[in-house]
Amino acid sequence: MTEARADLPIGVFDSGVGGVTVLRAMRERLPQERLLYLGDTARLPYGTKSRETIAQYCLQASAKLVERGVKMLVVACNTATAAALPALRAAFAPVPVIGVVEPGSAAAARVSVGGRICVIATEATIRSKAYQEAILRRRPDAVVTGRPCTLFVPLAEEGWMDGPLVEGIAARYLDDVFGSRAPVPRPDTLLLGCTHFPLLKEALQRVVGDEVALVDSAATTADAVRDELERGALRRTGSVEDITFLTTDDPERFARTGSLFLGRPIAQSAVELVDL
Ligand code: DGL
C-alpha cells in the first residue's frame, strides 16, 4: 500500500507558470519523483484578487490534482499559500500539503546578517502579512518591510526578465526602500515572495545592489518536500523523467512561457488543457 502510494506523483500548483521555479528545484533535488503540475493560467493573476476568491480557486485547483491521484500537494504560489494553506490542509487530509511561505521565511531568516529583510510579493501576499509573521516567528529581532510588486508577474509571464524597462519598474517599486533617499540602514536581504520573481533576479540584483542578498523559496521548498516524503515513507525509488503539465488556458502559451521558467523546452504536446 505504501509502495503504491509512493509511486504516485507529487501535485504542484500555481496560478500560472511561476511555480515552475519550484518544480525545477524539485526536479533537481528529487529526480526520481513523478511530478504533476497545474497552472491556473485562465484565472491568473491571483495576487490582485480577494482572499475569498483566491481560496476558492486554490480548492478547485487542488481538487483537480487530488482527483488525478497525488501523494502530496505543493502549493507553489505564495499568494495561494498565504490565502489558503490551512483550508487546503483541512480539505485534503490526509494528503500532506506543503506551502512556500515557511520555507521562504526560513531561507531569509538564515541568510540575513542584520535581520533587515524586504519582502516583495503580490498585493494579496503582502496584505496577508504571512511573510512578515513567519519571519518574526523565526527571528524576533528582524525588521521586515513588505512591498507589493504587481507588475513583476506579467513581466515574468511575458519573458521580459531584464533590460531598462524591467529595471525602471523595479527601481520605482523599490525606491523608498533601496533608493538613494531611502532610510539607512537599508535591508540586507530581499526575499522574492512570489514564485514568478526568480526570473527577474538579475535585474533586481542590479537595482538593489550587490551587497543585498536575494533569496527565494524554490530550493527550501524542495527540501521541505523531501523531508515530508521521508517522514511519511513516501519517497519513490528508481528514476524516471516524468513531468506532466495541466493548464486551464492555451497549452501553446503555457509551453512557451513555462520553458523559460523550467530552463529547457516544454513540448506543447506535454501540456493538457483542463477545466476546473
Ligand atoms: N506565483 C504567484 C505567487 O507566488 C503570483 C502570481 C499571481 O498573482 O497569480 O504569489
Side-chain angles (χ1 to χ4, degrees):
M1 175 61 190
T2 314
E3 224 166 86
R5 256 187 90 201
D7 199 43
L8 291 174
I10 299 172
V12 182
F13 88 90
D14 177 47
S15 55
V17 291
V20 174
T21 52
V22 176
L23 188 85
R24 185 175 175 168
M26 289 171 61
R27 191 177 61 88
E28 282 161 14
R29 283 171 168 68
L30 301 162
Q32 73 286 6
E33 295 297 338
R34 301 169 60 207
L35 303 170
L36 176 63
Y37 183 94
L38 169 61
D40 189 10
T41 48
R43 302 192 289 196
L44 177 95
Y46 281 11
T48 50
K49 299 190 167 73
S50 71
R51 190 185 187 108
E52 293 70 28
T53 300
I54 299 164
Q56 185 200 341
Y57 288 177
C58 293
L59 285 163
Q60 291 168 345
S62 302
K64 177 61 76 180
L65 291 169
V66 170
E67 180 190 301
R68 295 252 173 162
V70 292
K71 62 182 171 184
M72 182 183 292
L73 273 174
V74 178
V75 187
C77 175
N78 294 266
T79 309
T81 303
L85 191 64
L88 294 174
R89 287 192 167 137
F92 298 104
V95 177
V97 185
I98 305 275
V100 283
V101 170
E102 286 298 329
S105 307
R110 193 177 56 238
V111 165
S112 175
V113 176
R116 297 185 308 279
I117 299 167
C118 176
V119 183
I120 54 172
T122 65
E123 263 177 64
T125 303
I126 297 296
R127 193 178 56 221
S128 76
K129 297 204 163 40
Y131 263 114
Q132 291 92 321
E133 288 166 10
I135 293 169
L136 288 171
R137 270 198 303 278
R138 294 192 148 77
R139 258 186 95 156
D141 66 312
V143 178
V144 187
T145 318
R147 286 290 177 276
C149 296
T150 309
L151 291 176
F152 290 176
V153 174
L155 283 176
E157 291 265 337
E158 191 66 15
W160 290 13
M161 299 180 261
D162 51 19
L165 199 66
V166 178
E167 284 178 35
I169 292 170
R172 174 147 183 192
Y173 275 131
L174 299 175
D175 187 50
D176 67 328
V177 189
F178 291 99
S180 53
R181 287 194 304 276
V184 284
R186 302 199 174 93
D188 58 39
T189 301
L190 182 68
L191 172 54
L192 313 188
C194 172
T195 53
H196 282 74
F197 296 0
L199 248 72
L200 311 180
K201 221 170 190 167
E202 281 166 30
L204 291 169
Q205 189 79 68
R206 271 195 290 280
V207 169
V208 298
D210 284 339
E211 65 287 1
V212 177
L214 262 56
V215 177
D216 67 64
S217 53
T220 38
T221 300
D223 291 342
V225 170
R226 187 200 49 221
D227 294 348
E228 184 62 37
L229 289 174
E230 267 160 20
R231 230 190 327 273
L234 286 173
R235 271 191 91 153
R236 190 171 178 275
T237 49
S239 166
V240 282
E241 178 61 48
D242 185 352
I243 309 181
T244 305
F245 294 98
L246 310 177
T247 185
T248 52
D249 196 18
D250 193 3
E252 189 280 321
R253 190 167 208 286
F254 182 97
R256 185 159 33 89
T257 49
S259 302
L260 293 171
F261 285 73
L262 192 61
R264 53 157 223 211
I266 297 173
Q268 192 186 322
S269 57
V271 186
E272 187 189 328
L273 182 63
V274 293
D275 195 13
L276 301 183

